[in-house]
């Protein structure tokens, strides 16, 4: 508690106070002076005056009232301290039987309560592990509060500075504001005002600091911003250990931060001002951070889901040919000409469509579109593509594309403009299979009972478990045929080929499969594809000494394999191809071992898109009279 | 007189001069080693080929074993969807083995021409394998001095020999080798019957099949004929012994043992202890395989192969 100005000790009144112990009265007034110095000074003055007797009953009544008040406060303080000690004891001995709490802080039960308790335990454990060893016991509150005050000071100073306030004025203004915050935070200020100012600053301090950080010209600003956010949340947690207040401050902060992404602040500040730029800059920073982490997440997610699919199977593997050389169509250098445009202007987003090694003689048709993200259905939210909306490319070409959307169509505020490229592409894959008579495999196994023995060893074959090889591009195509060598029995049933189709690029979507060409070696035919009979169908051709191929390019079969209501096609997809042996002689070619390939070519439509943020500024309002 | 003395001394001196050593041709070890047919792809083989083009495959074969190869079969296994043979890929062949007149054994070169039928669209290269197989009948002939000793009680301390195991570590000029012979004198009435435990192993780099399966191993035959068994014949004093098991299983990872004896071959104490030559013949089919990785390359912008 701070020291209050001492009241002048009342000396004995000239006429004296009959029946009164003067020194006892003086002591009582002194005690009250610590809390009510002005009253104490006045009382002292009255008691030394000639009319002391007249004032005495009133002064005594005040003294009794103040003493009762002080006694109540002392009791409350003692009770609060007792509660605090109890809480600390409970925290130190978590396994000890808990004494019933005076009042449950949160009566909520169920999943939400469990989640809260879990989050709290994670927070406490993190604190105990990381911060407790380096911060002395009891000091963390002060350190965090000090850090918070310094943060707010920096924030205010930066904001004022950016707003154009000269340093000579900025420092005292920021200083005064921060002193006010400090007083409030340290509970120096009178109770209702102090509590209000403290809460207000704790709510607004975070967003203020955020604005300040937004104005720092650094490409990794989001790192600082995120660090600040974490620090800020920690600070308010430690200041408000009581759940309800923390939750309130946290929710307020979440709302204030959340408004960063809705354009509310843009409407609040003068267009073109520094603060306006700061808000937009912050939005961009967050968008960039979102995209950056989104890309990282895409990579992590792609790997994780692949591993998951492999573990839960079936997921056939494949090796990408020529990994070093990119294959396919890429949307590169996507940017906007202006981040801020006025209502009469046009939002211009541009990029390059680059066709890397296509490895095909076919002409590749590209469709370009652009629209405001999330509003694809609205026609006026689509832009005009220049120079051409649809064009063809061959290998190694680069075509610049522009998207223009009138700002009027977009409306004021921030908008994400997506530039989208759709193209047809082809991916090929093959899997080598080694065929041997089952009797021969069994005989070999009988003679070589070792676990690792393989009949292919006797032929000097190095790669005894070949993986499917597929050409690069947007799709991954894996194939599997089971254990190698593939045994040939006396029955006509052949091996079953499993095809796995998945995304090869973290970005983009498979819009549609246009054709699937499955080829099996001579001497074999395809009997079923994912349970659909192929023998009686007219999709397949070849056979005899030629390869046997099924070209599935009609909607009646493709729609069964890739339901049309799934747009984009959900991946991964597994296709099972059942085969039959029609001519063992052709398949084996009078040799003890036959090396044959299963081939697959898939034609599909793929879509990639990249987005840019554009802000349409509201026209400056001209207010005032006349 | 003086002249006569000098001449005499000269002639006498010549008597003590060392005569040049007579060059006797060294006997070339024929029945040694553990190889038969040795095959390798000739460096002239075009292992890198251009899509739709032809390639020549050359295989050098030489018979470094002690036996001749007659009516052997060689075969090339190709991935027919990509490589079609232009020349015959399966043929009979014969190759002389090592002998005093041909100490290095017979040599030949086998040729195969293949044509590429194209590779999958979008792929720049394809790496098929060509497997060469040679299948032939072969024989291992081993001979060893063994001791027949009817004196099981060891009454005669001055015997001509003692029945002890005979080790044959260097092979007999064939991939399947007799590695050890253990003689046992089994008492039978007054005399003994010699019993021989013979150890054999495949020490070559190929695989053993039954002699009747030698051709089938290269032509896609199946059945028991492809199991790794060898027929056994053993002779002692020009009399054939009975061996069991026969045919014997041959493995490359461990020795296999069979027993040879002849019940009627009974030697009494009067026969005395003597040495004799035990001759063993193993007949089997042998398969050599080797794989050649090829690379088929599509030239930039190359059109599919004409059909």
């Amino acid at each position: 508690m701070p020291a209050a100005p001492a009241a002048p000790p009342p000396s004995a009144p000239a006429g004296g106070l009959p029946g009164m112990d003067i020194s006892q009265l003086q002591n009582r007034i002194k005690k009250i002076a610590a809390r009510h110095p002005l009253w104490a000074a006045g009382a002292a003055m009255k008691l030394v005056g000639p009319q002391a007797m007249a004032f005495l009953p009133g002064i005594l009544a005040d003294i009794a009232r103040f003493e009762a008040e002080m006694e109540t406060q002392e009791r409350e303080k003692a009770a609060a301290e007792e509660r605090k000690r109890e809480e600390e004891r409970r925290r130190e001995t978590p396994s000890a039987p808990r004494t019933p709490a005076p009042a449950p802080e949160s009566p909520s039960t169920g999943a939400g309560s469990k989640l809260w308790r879990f989050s709290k335990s994670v927070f406490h454990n993190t604190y105990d592990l990381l911060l407790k060893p380096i911060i002395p016991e009891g000091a963390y509150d002060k350190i965090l509060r000090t850090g918070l005050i310094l943060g707010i000071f920096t924030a205010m100073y930066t904001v004022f500075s950016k707003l154009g306030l000269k340093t000579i004025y900025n420092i005292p203004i920021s200083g005064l504001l921060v002193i006010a915050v400090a007083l409030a935070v340290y509970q120096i200020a009178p109770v209702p005002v102090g509590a209000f100012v403290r809460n207000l600053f704790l709510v607004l301090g975070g967003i203020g600091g955020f604005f300040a950080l937004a104005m720092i010209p650094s490409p990794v600003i989001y790192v600082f911003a995120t660090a600040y956010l974490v620090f800020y949340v920690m600070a308010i947690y430690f200041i408000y250990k009581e759940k309800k207040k923390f939750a309130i401050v946290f929710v307020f902060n979440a709302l204030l931060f959340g408004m960063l992404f809705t354009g509310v602040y843009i409407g609040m500040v003068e267009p073109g001002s520094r603060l306006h730029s700061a808000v937009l800059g912050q939005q961009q920073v967050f968008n960039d951070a979102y995209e950056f982490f989104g890309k990282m997440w895409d990579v992590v997610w792609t790997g994780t889901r692949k591993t998951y699919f492999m573990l839960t199977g079936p997921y056939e593997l494949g090796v990408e040919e020529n990994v070093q050389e990119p294959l396919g169509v890429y949307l590169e250098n996507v940017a906007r000409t202006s981040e801020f445009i006025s209502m009469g202007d046009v939002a211009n987003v541009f990029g390059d469509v680059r066709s890397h090694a296509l490895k095909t003689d076919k002409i590749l048709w590209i469709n370009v579109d652009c629209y405001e993200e999330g509003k694809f259905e609205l026609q006026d939210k689509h832009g005009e593509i220049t120079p051409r909306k649809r064009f063809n490319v061959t290998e190694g070409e680069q075509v610049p594309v522009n998207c223009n959307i009138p700002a009027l169509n977009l409306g004021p505020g921030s908008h994400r403009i997506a530039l989208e490229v759709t193209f047809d592409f082809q991916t090929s894959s093959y899997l080598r299979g080694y065929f041997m008579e089952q009797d021969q495999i069994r005989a070999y196994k009988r003679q070589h009972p070792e676990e690792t023995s393989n009949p292919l060893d006797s032929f000097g074959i190095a790669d005894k478990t070949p993986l499917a090889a597929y050409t690069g591009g947007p799709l991954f195509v894996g194939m599997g045929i089971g254990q190698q060598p593939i045994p040939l029995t006396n029955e006509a049933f052949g091996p079953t080929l499993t095809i796995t189709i998945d995304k090869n690029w973290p970005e983009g979507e498979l819009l549609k499969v246009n054709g699937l060409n499955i080829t099996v070696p001579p001497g074999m035919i395809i009997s079923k594809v994912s349970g659909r009979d192929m023998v009686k169908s007219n999709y397949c051709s070849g056979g005899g000494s030629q390869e046997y191929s099924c070209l599935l390019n009609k909607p009646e079969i493709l729609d069964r394999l890739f339901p049309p209501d799934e747009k984009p096609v959900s991946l991964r997809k597994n296709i099972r191809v059942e085969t039959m042996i029609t001519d063992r002689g052709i398949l084996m070619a009078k040799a003890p071992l036959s090396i044959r390939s299963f081939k697959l070519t898939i034609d599909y439509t793929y879509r990639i898109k990249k987005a840019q943020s554009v802000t349409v500024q509201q026209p400056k309002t001209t207010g005032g009279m006349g | 007189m003086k002249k006569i003395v000098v001449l005499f001394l000269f002639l006498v001196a010549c008597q003590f001069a060392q005569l040049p050593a007579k060059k006797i041709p060294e006997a070339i070890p024929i029945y040694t080693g553990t190889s038969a047919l040795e095959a390798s792809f000739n460096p002239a083989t075009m292992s890198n080929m251009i899509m739709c083009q032809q390639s020549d495959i050359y295989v050098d074969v030489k018979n470094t074993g002690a036996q001749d190869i007659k009516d052997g079969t060689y075969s090339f296994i190709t991935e027919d969807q990509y490589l079609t043979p232009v020349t015959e890929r399966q043929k009979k062949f014969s190759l002389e083995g090592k002998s005093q007149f041909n100490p290095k054994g017979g040599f030949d070169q086998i040729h195969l021409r293949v044509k590429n039928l194209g590779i999958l669209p979008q792929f720049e290269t394809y790496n098929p394998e060509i497997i060469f197989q040679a299948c032939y009948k072969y024989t291992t002939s081993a001979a060893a001095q063994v001791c027949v000793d009817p004196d099981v009680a060891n009454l005669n301390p001055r015997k001509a020999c003692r029945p002890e195991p005979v080790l044959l570590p260097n092979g007999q000029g064939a991939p399947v080798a007799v590695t050890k012979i253990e003689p046992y004198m089994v008492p039978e009435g007054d005399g003994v019957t010699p019993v021989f435990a013979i150890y054999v192993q495949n020490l070559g780099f190929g695989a053993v099949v039954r002699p009747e399966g030698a051709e089938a191993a290269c032509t896609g035959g199946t059945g028991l004929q492809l199991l790794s068994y060898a027929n056994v014949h053993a002779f002692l004093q020009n009399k054939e012994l009975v061996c069991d098991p026969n045919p014997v299983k041959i493995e490359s990872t461990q020795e296999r043992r069979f027993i040879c004896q002849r019940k009627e071959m009974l030697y009494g104490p009067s026969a005395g202890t003597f040495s004799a030559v035990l001759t063993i013949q193993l007949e089997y089919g042998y398969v050599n395989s080797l794989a050649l990785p090829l690379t088929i390359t599509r030239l930039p912008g190359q059109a599919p192969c004409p059909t």
Side-chain angles (χ1 to χ4, degrees):
Chain A
M1 289 289 283
S11 52
L17 293 167
M20 287 294 296
D21 185 345
I22 296 298
S23 63
Q24 194 191 359
L25 190 65
Q26 282 175 345
N27 285 339
R28 289 170 74 184
I29 292 172
K30 266 186 192 172
K31 279 181 188 169
I32 294 164
R35 284 179 181 269
H36 303 282
L38 290 174
W39 175 86
M45 293 290 286
K46 286 172 186 170
L47 286 175
V48 295
Q51 304 209 342
M53 285 304 287
F55 289 119
L56 189 60
I59 290 169
L60 285 172
D62 282 348
I63 288 172
R65 184 165 54 85
F66 286 137
E67 280 177 345
E69 202 177 273
M70 280 164 64
E71 199 179 334
T72 310
Q73 284 178 356
E74 286 293 327
R75 268 205 306 275
E76 280 176 1
K77 192 180 171 188
E81 279 175 0
E82 180 57 32
R83 276 203 301 276
K84 194 176 177 184
R85 278 198 294 276
E86 178 64 26
E87 184 67 29
E88 278 171 5
R89 273 201 300 276
R90 213 180 296 158
R91 227 181 273 166
E92 281 165 11
T93 55
S95 56
R98 295 179 67 143
T99 51
E105 287 180 343
S106 171
S108 62
T109 52
S113 176
K114 278 179 189 169
L115 183 70
W116 168 248
R117 279 201 296 276
F118 174 73
S119 312
K120 198 177 164 188
S121 73
V122 169
F123 197 87
H124 275 298
N125 288 333
T126 313
Y127 166 76
D128 287 346
L129 278 171
L130 300 175
L131 293 177
K132 215 170 183 180
I134 53 169
I135 299 173
E137 188 66 34
Y140 58 85
D141 265 7
K142 286 172 186 157
I143 291 170
L144 288 168
R145 286 178 191 198
T146 310
L148 183 67
I149 289 165
L150 287 174
I152 294 169
F153 173 76
T154 315
M156 285 177 173
Y157 178 82
T158 316
V159 170
F160 289 144
S161 171
K162 295 283 177 186
L163 286 170
L165 197 65
K166 289 180 179 172
T167 310
I168 193 166
Y169 301 112
N170 193 351
I171 289 175
I173 290 171
S174 302
L176 280 171
L177 282 168
V178 168
I179 287 166
V181 176
L183 286 171
V185 169
Y186 280 101
Q187 299 174 354
I188 297 167
V191 176
V193 179
F196 176 74
V197 173
R198 181 183 61 186
N199 293 338
L200 187 70
F201 271 90
L202 282 174
V203 168
L204 296 175
I207 197 73
F210 225 66
F211 286 147
L213 279 166
M215 286 187 251
I216 297 171
S218 167
V220 286
I221 191 67
Y222 51 86
V223 177
F224 298 116
T226 310
Y228 178 83
L229 181 63
V230 172
F231 174 78
Y232 183 75
V233 171
M234 280 175 70
I236 57 170
Y237 174 79
F238 279 107
I239 291 166
Y240 293 115
K241 282 181 199 151
E242 296 160 52
K243 273 189 218 169
K244 281 177 186 169
K245 282 188 180 174
F246 169 71
I248 290 164
V249 175
F250 186 79
V251 166
F252 266 108
N253 270 287
L255 283 172
L256 288 166
F257 282 111
M259 280 197 277
L260 264 177
F261 307 101
T262 56
V264 169
Y265 293 116
I266 298 166
M268 285 167 63
V269 293
E270 194 66 31
S273 67
R274 300 299 295 269
L275 195 57
H276 187 255
S277 305
V279 173
L280 294 173
Q282 192 58 61
Q283 280 192 341
Q284 187 58 43
V285 156
F286 262 80
N287 284 333
D288 291 348
Y290 176 76
E291 276 182 16
F292 174 75
F293 286 113
K295 274 181 189 171
M296 281 182 64
W297 169 245
D298 276 348
V299 172
V300 172
W301 172 241
T302 305
T304 309
R305 68 189 282 278
K306 208 165 197 171
T307 311
Y308 170 77
F309 285 144
M310 275 185 229
L311 290 173
T312 56
Y315 194 93
E316 299 302 341
L317 298 177
V319 186
E320 186 175 338
E321 282 284 302
N322 251 336
V323 182
Q324 296 80 12
E325 190 182 11
L327 191 72
V329 175
Y330 292 76
L331 184 57
E332 296 174 339
N333 309 323
V334 175
R336 69 218 152 176
T337 42
S338 179
E339 188 183 338
F340 311 109
I341 53 168
S342 60
M343 283 298 274
D345 210 344
V346 171
N348 177 248
V349 176
F350 58 92
D352 292 328
V353 176
R354 187 188 286 271
S355 60
H356 286 274
L358 303 177
K359 307 293 176 201
T360 174
D361 297 329
K362 286 182 186 171
I363 289 171
L364 200 65
W365 284 96
I366 310 275
N367 292 299
V368 187
D369 194 3
C370 78
Y371 50 87
E372 186 180 353
E373 254 186 350
K375 294 176 181 172
F376 182 84
E377 293 77 21
L378 303 174
Q379 200 50 47
D380 64 330
K381 302 290 181 188
H382 283 250
E384 183 203 3
I385 300 292
T386 55
R388 294 183 306 278
K389 197 174 166 67
R390 180 177 162 81
F391 54 90
N392 61 58
V393 290
T394 55
E395 199 168 300
E397 286 185 356
Q398 183 177 341
V399 181
V401 288
N402 291 285
C403 161
N404 300 305
I405 307 180
L408 213 56
N409 292 4
L410 293 171
S414 185
H415 307 273
R416 297 275 294 165
I417 308 295
L419 191 58
E420 180 185 286
V421 169
T422 309
F423 56 94
D424 292 339
F425 207 69
Q426 191 181 66
T427 298
S428 301
S429 176
Y430 71 84
L431 173 68
R432 190 177 295 158
Y434 298 105
F435 291 87
M436 278 179 85
E437 296 288 348
Q438 190 178 56
D439 288 348
Q440 207 180 334
I441 296 171
R442 285 180 179 170
Y444 185 90
K445 285 278 182 190
R446 268 203 300 276
Q447 291 186 96
H448 301 84
E450 311 89 64
E451 191 78 25
T452 53
S453 72
N454 190 319
L456 298 175
D457 287 332
S458 58
F459 294 94
I461 292 167
D463 184 13
K464 291 184 275 287
T465 49
L467 292 177
Y470 66 96
T471 51
L475 281 196
F476 159 93
V477 181
M479 285 198 275
I481 196 77
Q483 199 180 2
Q484 301 253 24
I486 302 157
L488 291 180
T489 61
N490 291 326
E491 294 170 322
F493 299 113
T496 299
L497 176 74
T498 306
I499 300 163
T500 297
I501 299 168
D502 200 357
K503 274 171 73 172
N504 196 36
W505 290 352
E507 60 181 16
E509 298 158 331
L510 174 65
L511 275 189
K512 191 183 163 203
V513 174
N514 304 318
L516 205 62
N517 193 359
I518 309 164
T519 303
V520 294
M524 294 174 80
I525 60 162
I526 295 169
S527 56
K528 284 179 181 172
V529 173
S530 290
R532 279 85 180 181
D533 187 54
M534 289 289 124
V535 179
K536 291 169 191 166
S537 74
N538 53 358
Y539 301 118
C540 308
S541 60
S545 60
Q546 301 297 312
E547 289 177 335
Y548 186 85
S549 293
C550 291
L551 176 61
L552 314 177
N553 59 357
K554 301 280 189 306
E556 55 262 30
I557 181 73
L558 282 176
D559 287 355
R560 290 182 186 179
L561 300 173
F562 306 96
D565 53 327
E566 266 182 27
K567 208 168 185 178
V569 179
S570 69
L571 296 172
R572 115 249 66 164
K573 276 267 183 281
N574 280 316
I575 297 168
R576 300 268 294 170
V577 180
E578 291 172 52
T579 64
M580 289 182 85
I581 313 276
T582 50
D583 194 324
R584 188 186 291 250
I586 289 173
L587 182 63
M588 293 304 292
K590 290 184 181 174
L593 172 81
S594 165
I595 310 170
R596 300 289 182 263
S597 284
F598 296 86
K599 303 171 188 175
L600 174 82
T601 302
I602 176 168
D603 289 283
Y604 53 93
T605 306
Y606 203 78
R607 176 170 70 189
I608 45 174
K609 71 174 176 187
K610 285 185 178 173
Q612 283 288 310
S613 286
V614 171
T615 303
V616 179
Q617 292 175 331
Q618 273 180 326
K620 280 191 182 181
T621 48
T622 49
M625 302 289 287
Chain B
M1 185 61 191
K2 248 184 185 177
K3 280 181 183 171
I4 292 167
V5 171
V6 170
L7 183 65
F8 178 75
L9 284 172
F10 177 74
L11 288 172
V12 168
C14 287
Q15 289 288 317
F16 293 104
Q18 207 172 359
L19 288 169
K22 245 186 187 174
K23 277 199 173 175
I24 302 165
E26 272 182 36
I28 294 152
I30 304 298
Y31 291 94
T32 187
T34 55
S35 62
L37 187 87
E38 285 184 12
S40 61
F41 285 100
N42 191 288
T45 297
M46 297 156 69
S47 56
N48 287 304
M49 61 189 295
I50 293 165
M51 191 176 90
C52 311
Q53 301 298 308
Q54 294 186 350
S55 178
D56 287 322
I57 314 293
Y58 297 101
V59 182
D60 295 337
V61 286
K62 51 186 174 179
N63 184 359
T64 53
Q67 304 292 326
D68 294 345
I69 295 172
K70 286 172 190 165
D71 277 339
T73 308
Y74 71 78
S75 169
F76 286 95
I77 299 171
T78 59
E79 205 171 328
D80 293 358
Q81 288 159 282
Y82 294 92
L83 295 169
T84 183
V86 176
T87 55
E88 225 175 328
R89 69 165 142 193
Q90 218 167 63
K91 236 178 172 178
K92 294 269 181 190
F93 76 102
S94 295
L95 210 55
E96 199 183 340
K98 280 194 294 187
S99 67
Q100 291 298 337
F101 307 105
N102 185 2
K104 287 189 176 176
F107 172 85
D108 201 357
Q109 193 169 67
I110 296 167
H111 170 241
L112 174 76
R113 178 167 289 178
V114 286
K115 186 175 190 293
N116 173 241
L117 301 172
I119 60 177
L120 265 175
Q122 291 183 297
F123 280 91
E124 282 186 355
T125 57
Y126 184 74
N127 301 100
E129 271 179 315
I130 288 191
I131 295 166
F132 171 79
Q133 275 200 308
C135 308
Y136 48 91
K137 283 183 188 171
Y138 219 71
T139 306
T140 299
S141 296
Q145 286 274 351
V146 290
C147 186
V148 177
D149 182 14
D151 179 19
V152 285
N154 214 7
L155 299 172
N156 180 9
R158 303 179 66 184
K159 291 178 187 175
C161 61
R162 285 180 191 278
E164 285 173 342
V166 180
L167 296 175
L168 304 163
N170 299 321
Q172 292 86 37
V176 177
V178 176
T179 53
K180 191 165 71 174
I181 299 167
E182 288 174 347
Y184 297 98
M185 299 302 127
V186 179
E188 191 82 42
D190 289 342
V192 293
T193 299
V195 174
F196 300 98
I198 299 161
Y199 292 80
V200 289
Q201 191 177 0
N202 176 12
L203 296 176
F205 294 106
V208 174
V209 293
R210 285 189 167 181
E212 56 271 27
E215 189 180 343
C218 274
T219 55
T222 54
L224 299 174
Q225 56 186 347
L226 297 180
L227 297 179
S228 299
Y229 284 93
N231 296 333
V232 177
H233 303 282
F235 300 90
L236 185 70
Q237 292 184 313
N238 292 325
K239 287 178 183 165
E240 187 167 4
L241 306 179
V242 177
C243 297
D244 184 59
N246 192 4
V248 62
K249 191 176 180 186
I250 308 289
E251 289 185 58
S252 56
T253 50
Q254 61 175 347
E255 291 176 320
R256 302 290 293 200
R257 189 180 77 157
F258 60 93
I259 303 290
C260 292
Q261 62 177 322
R262 192 180 167 111
K263 293 275 182 199
E264 314 86 80
M265 207 175 254
L266 194 65
Y267 297 96
S270 58
T273 303
F274 64 93
S275 284
V277 175
L278 176 70
T279 311
I280 304 148
Q281 274 193 349
L282 303 168
E283 292 167 4
Y284 47 87
Y286 207 73
V287 183
N288 290 90
S289 300
L290 67 157
L292 172 75
L294 285 179
T295 303
I296 305 167
T297 308
R298 182 200 301 272
L299 294 175
Q302 190 177 359
C305 305
T307 48

